[in-house]
Amino acid sequence: MPDEKPSWMMHGITAEPIEEYLYSLLPPRDEILAEMEAAAAKRNIPIVGPAVARVLHQLALISGAKTVFEMGSAIGYSTIWWARAVGDGGRVIYTDGDRKNADEARRYFDRAGVADRITVHVGDALELLSEQKQQFDIIFCDLDKEDYPRALRLALPRLRKGGLLVADNVLWSGKVAEKNPTEASTKAIVEFTRQLYSAPDMFTTILPIRDGIAVAVKK
Ligand SMILES: C[S@@+](CC[C@H](N)C(=O)[O-])C[C@H]1O[C@@H](n2cnc3c(N)ncnc32)[C@H](O)[C@@H]1O
């Protein structure tokens, strides 16, 4: 492992030797994903990285998901992992507020051969989700953290029974454990997680991988 760790890697949740061991186990990614990981590290784009991406992909495979709504897609790294998991006939909705991100993502989708499974929307992911008439197998939340509580309220009715609500960064570099968090982002994540655990129709766990992934199934 090189001394300079990519920005998507370390978050201080897991002990560093264990984190390095977990990353050393990961099989190499294909040319496109490797290029995206390098671009993200170079330009400080906050992608989930390969350890979390494999969890997302695995959750879709385990649950047989065919429809995924992604809130916060950036250059489309996690979107490609979802798109490969849903397979032929599956559908992934990409959303991001930044048109430049979407243009870059489209180029990666074409090269990765998954463009026909992905619908790209530019705009506020919360508004875009509230316009959806259908229910989804998986809704993935990776927005600005202040948006998490509102995203949760909008997402739950749009999740089918048995569907998964997945959210990244729910341990927020450990700041969620502060006694009296002052940062707006930390407070929002703590509130999101409290609401998710207390939602009567959801069963929630947190996987402390990288920066923490919340996984909740709708009962
Ligand atoms: C953490 S990045 C997403 C990374 C992506 N999920 C991945 O792992 O490849 C968050 C992205 O969400 C976008 N974003 C944040 N809040 C948003 C909102 N309310 N609506 C749409 N996009 C938003 C930002 O522009 C940013 O590109």
Side-chain angles (χ1 to χ4, degrees):
M1 189 73 59
D3 280 350
E4 186 68 24
K5 308 266 176 1
S7 50
W8 40 258
M9 189 175 159
M10 305 301 288
H11 283 268
I13 302 298
T14 313
E16 198 166 324
I18 302 296
E19 184 99 358
E20 287 187 359
Y21 171 69
L22 292 176
Y23 277 93
S24 76
L25 295 173
L26 303 182
R29 273 73 67 197
D30 69 11
E31 190 193 328
I32 314 276
L33 291 174
E35 191 180 315
M36 295 173 92
E37 288 169 16
K42 191 164 169 215
R43 289 154 51 203
N44 247 327
I45 303 164
I47 63 168
V48 292
V52 172
R54 286 177 67 88
V55 175
L56 305 181
H57 188 90
Q58 190 177 40
L59 288 171
L61 292 181
I62 292 168
S63 63
K66 283 286 169 197
T67 55
V68 178
F69 191 100
E70 182 173 72
M71 291 189 276
S73 303
I75 59 171
Y77 178 81
S78 51
T79 325
I80 291 180
W81 285 85
W82 289 124
R84 288 181 173 166
V86 297
D88 277 341
R91 194 98 225 124
V92 181
I93 304 209
Y94 163 110
T95 65
D96 204 275
D98 184 332
R99 182 163 299 280
K100 275 203 199 125
N101 277 345
D103 291 342
E104 187 171 347
R106 274 196 196 92
R107 291 193 288 275
Y108 286 126
F109 299 157
D110 282 335
R111 286 173 59 203
V114 290
D116 60 342
R117 297 177 192 174
I118 300 171
T119 308
V120 175
H121 286 297
V122 179
D124 180 9
L126 301 163
E127 265 176 42
L128 291 162
L129 181 61
S130 63
E131 286 162 11
Q132 296 295 315
K133 303 278 180 278
Q134 71 173 104
Q135 286 191 315
F136 291 89
D137 297 329
I138 295 181
I139 298 179
F140 176 49
C141 184
D142 197 13
L143 299 162
D144 289 347
K145 306 313 154 192
E146 287 84 343
D147 287 337
Y148 271 35
R150 203 152 66 87
L152 178 63
R153 282 193 292 281
L154 290 169
L156 293 187
R158 285 163 184 89
L159 204 57
R160 74 157 166 84
K161 203 169 152 56
L164 302 177
L165 189 284
V166 184
D168 193 34
N169 306 108
V170 293
L171 296 179
W172 208 222
S173 301
K175 286 184 272 185
V176 291
E178 289 171 3
K179 276 215 163 60
N180 291 303
T182 49
E183 249 182 45
S185 53
T186 310
K187 288 202 253 186
I189 293 172
V190 168
E191 181 56 18
F192 166 88
T193 306
R194 192 191 63 71
Q195 285 181 21
L196 189 55
Y197 268 90
S198 56
D201 54 345
M202 301 300 289
F203 187 90
T204 304
T205 54
I206 289 178
L207 309 178
I209 294 175
R210 199 188 68 124
D211 201 23
I213 312 158
V215 181
V217 59
K218 190 168 183 178
K219 296 188 270 180

